[in-house]
């Protein structure tokens, strides 16, 4: 299961428009302090003129620059997002277009496991890299959550932000030790409807929107049920992942969790025995950016030097599905 | 790039409701014979009470039975479709739920490159199998095109059908020779808008549907432009794929093309030098079923004994993006 794959560069993009907790409290007529206390989010960013592809293209360009590479050095572009820009084609092709690489021929496709899309893409594509199918892969997570929030559902609508993050991965040079140690994903569709947007696909066509079904096209979350199911599963899940790599908790330098909510990360850290100082937390000024949360937190961990080459990191999260996903890597 | 992966079983599901060329000619006030002549489709199937997940679950169950396996024998479930059932969660989780395996924990995620989704999934996941990340993977393509057709766009709306197909893949036993010889994908986003559904994602939210933008939520295709771009690229694309595997055209027992249209397959076969007898063509009674077309044609090729163990097959298609994709395998 070990794969000699290295993170070569990372980048992120946040929309220009900032929306503060105070603004949301006014909009939703909530008491001062409610939003930050409930969600842990003081500022999130919402798109104005940005599109999913535009944000993804900028984050991707920044990741390439960080890696000292240009677009011609990558031979695969994967969009790993929970939302898409259009129904057809895949968002990766629209990112390629936005990067002005529309004649490059670089293969483009999407991988989607909602909030875990980036972890799934890293997992699956590291196998393709290790097998020699590709040399260097650009993975881009770009999310616009603001368009699909239900402003009547206070607990969920104050959590989310928009933005993008990108990572370039490649095979590890012979003399280096960067690698994926182990990965694990589990889906329990008992929780398939604990967080969902029911509309927009083949089940409830957009044509139904105007027929009193607006709420079907907005994000719907039962935080309590998600919490209950996740709590039952997470400890055993992480134990089995660590066992697969023969790694102890103490050897993990940094956990990069999905930025589900301030409270969710705190409880997860306590339950798993990871101190706050070992948990990368960027929710305060980003919000939950769906699949972009983990690569964004990874980017910040690298930029802020919370992680150094040789350190062992655990990417860990839950997503709609309901899924748990984790990936242990040596940076 | 070679991967010792074997197709263990296949299955398909077609909706109960059949729609004939004659019925469409009446509905669209077209002269008798127009639909079959333009599209090559005499009968396609449209859903009545079937959902994407239901169709996918039935096809998946049939593929497992064909392989002599049960759900507990697979450790990954991937939905490889161009359309999704809901915006959130991924369709694979909904298929797991429909299969009554909601406590199984089997990881579920989606891979999307529109009509090439199945080929991309086979390509990417065969690397995961070969690396030992999984033992057996269920790949399901399930499509409902009928909900998103533009009945004012005669050339495109008469092409499509609904349905699902599934394939179980696993590592090839030591003594056998089944394998993926080579794969290739190229995306040219110059053609990103030659076939699209602009709405339904983050760019044009379903809330816009009722504001005179219905057409943005329907499939829009410029067949002429797709044909022109594809024609320029396809010969070189296939040559390079064959070169990568050191295979000649003559060694290919059967081409399983995307069932884009009767005419597209005829022209592609002629251009590439594959006789009609070497092209698996099921469009007459299935239509273009988006990503389900290739695994459905593969299933029919196996059932009709057009392919035998040891034969070399070429899965080949184009998709929105615009992408070309091909996979050479020994069945």
């Amino acid at each position: 299961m070990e794969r000699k794959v290295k993170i070569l560069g990372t980048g992120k993009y946040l929309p220009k428009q900032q929306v503060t907790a105070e603004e949301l409290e006014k909009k939703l007529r909530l008491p001062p302090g409610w939003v930050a206390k409930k969600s842990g989010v003081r500022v999130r960013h919402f798109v104005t003129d940005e599109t999913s592809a535009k944000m993804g293209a900028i984050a991707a360009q920044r990741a390439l620059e960080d890696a000292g590479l240009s677009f011609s050095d990558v031979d695969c572009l994967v969009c790993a997002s929970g939302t898409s820009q259009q129904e057809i084609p895949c968002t990766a092709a629209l990112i390629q277009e936005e990067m002005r690489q529309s004649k490059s021929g670089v293969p483009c496709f999407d991988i989607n496991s909602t909030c875990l899309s980036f972890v799934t893409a890293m997992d699956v594509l590291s196998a393709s890299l290790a097998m020699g199918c590709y040399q260097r892969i650009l993975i881009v997570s770009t999310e616009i959550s603001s368009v699909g929030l239900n402003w009547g559902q206070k607990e969920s609508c104050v959590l989310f932000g928009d933005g993008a993050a990108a990572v370039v991965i490649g095979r590890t040079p012979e003399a280096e030790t960067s690698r994926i140690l182990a990965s694990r994903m589990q889906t329990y569709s008992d929780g398939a409807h604990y967080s969902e947007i029911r509309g927009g696909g083949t089940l409830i066509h957009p044509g139904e929107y105007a027929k009193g079904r607006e709420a079907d096209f907005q994000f719907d979350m039962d935080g309590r049920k998600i919490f209950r199911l996740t709590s039952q599963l997470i400890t055993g899940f992480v134990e089995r992942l660590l066992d697969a790599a023969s790694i102890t908790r103490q050897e993990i330098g940094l956990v990069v969790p999905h930025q589900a909510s301030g409270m969710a990360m705190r409880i997860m850290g306590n339950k798993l025995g990871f101190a706050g100082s070992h948990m990368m937390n960027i929710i305060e000024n980003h919000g939950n950016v769906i699949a972009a949360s983990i690569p964004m937190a990874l980017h910040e961990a690298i930029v802020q030097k919370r992680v150094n080459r040789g350190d062992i990191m655990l990417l860990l999260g839950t997503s709609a599905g309901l899924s748990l996903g984790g990936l242990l890597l040596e940076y």
Side-chain angles (χ1 to χ4, degrees), chain A:
Chain A
M1 297 255 294
E2 192 170 290
R3 285 147 271 168
K4 293 258 304 174
V5 165
K6 183 182 180 182
I7 293 171
L8 303 173
T10 63
K12 79 164 184 179
Y13 175 83
L14 290 175
K16 294 178 291 287
Q17 182 191 205
Q18 299 196 0
V19 179
T20 65
E22 292 70 29
E23 289 172 70
L24 290 185
E25 283 155 6
K26 265 187 205 149
K27 177 186 168 108
L28 301 169
R29 299 180 188 196
L30 293 165
W34 193 93
V35 168
K37 191 179 166 223
K38 281 279 177 181
S39 67
V41 189
R42 290 187 190 279
V43 184
R44 83 276 300 134
H45 299 71
F46 282 172
V47 292
T48 46
D49 59 341
E50 295 98 340
T51 63
S52 302
K54 261 184 204 167
M55 297 195 300
I58 297 172
Q61 195 52 51
R62 289 175 180 170
L64 286 172
E65 282 160 23
D66 182 47
L69 298 171
S70 65
F71 191 89
S72 60
D73 295 311
V74 299
D75 48 6
C76 186
L77 195 175
V78 176
C79 180
S81 305
T83 58
S84 58
Q85 178 158 319
Q86 304 190 174
E87 187 65 18
I88 292 174
C90 63
T91 308
L94 300 171
I95 294 171
Q96 192 207 61
E97 181 187 31
E98 198 66 43
M99 294 180 84
R100 301 181 187 199
Q101 298 294 339
S102 61
K103 293 181 199 306
S104 66
V106 167
C108 293
F109 56 90
D110 291 0
I111 290 183
N112 174 17
S113 55
T114 322
C115 295
L116 283 168
S117 302
F118 176 79
V119 177
T120 303
M122 275 282 280
D123 181 23
V124 168
L125 295 168
S126 60
S128 294
L129 272 180
M131 286 296 295
C133 298
Y134 298 109
Q135 298 300 314
R136 281 176 219 93
I137 302 178
L138 189 48
I139 306 177
V140 186
S141 298
T142 180
E143 305 280 17
I144 299 179
S145 57
S146 55
V147 75
L149 296 175
N150 182 340
W151 294 104
Q153 201 172 89
K154 293 183 193 72
E155 278 77 10
S156 72
C157 69
V158 300
L159 286 173
F160 291 89
D162 303 339
V167 173
V168 191
I169 58 173
R171 277 207 295 278
T172 309
E174 212 39 68
E176 300 180 17
T177 53
S178 296
R179 67 201 193 281
I180 290 175
L181 285 81
S183 55
R184 186 175 176 81
M185 183 182 183
Q186 300 257 269
T187 303
Y188 297 89
S189 53
D190 266 353
H193 305 282
Y194 292 177
S195 60
E196 60 180 342
I197 295 180
R198 285 175 293 281
T202 56
L203 189 66
I204 306 173
H205 188 263
E208 299 293 311
Y209 184 89
K211 301 177 188 166
R213 299 194 70 165
E214 292 88 344
D216 283 330
F217 295 86
Q218 295 163 342
F219 186 64
D220 182 22
M221 183 180 97
D222 187 333
R224 200 178 296 260
K225 283 188 179 167
I226 294 171
F227 176 74
R228 205 179 305 147
L229 185 53
T230 307
S231 294
Q232 283 169 27
L233 298 166
I234 192 81
T235 310
F237 179 85
V238 171
E239 269 167 18
R240 278 188 285 276
L241 177 59
L242 297 179
D243 286 351
S246 303
I247 285 280
T248 63
R249 269 176 185 66
Q250 289 69 38
E251 294 173 80
I252 296 173
L254 189 67
V255 180
V256 179
H258 172 48
Q259 310 287 306
S261 78
M263 203 197 296
M265 282 189 284
R266 211 159 45 239
I267 293 171
M268 190 198 264
N270 288 339
K271 209 172 164 71
L272 295 173
F274 294 115
S277 59
H278 279 70
M279 298 276 285
M280 191 67 206
N281 188 332
I282 63 163
I283 200 163
E284 191 176 1
N285 53 350
H286 294 75
N288 175 337
V289 196
I290 317 179
S293 276
I294 287 179
M296 227 176 236
L298 173 65
H299 170 79
E300 284 299 319
I302 295 167
V303 168
Q304 297 175 23
K305 300 200 192 308
R306 296 276 300 271
V307 65
N308 297 296
R309 290 290 176 192
D311 288 356
I312 289 174
M313 273 195 291
L314 169 60
L315 313 186
L316 180 67
T318 58
S319 78
L322 185 147
S323 298
L324 295 91
L327 193 137
L328 266 172
L329 62 88
E330 178 183 327
Y331 176 61

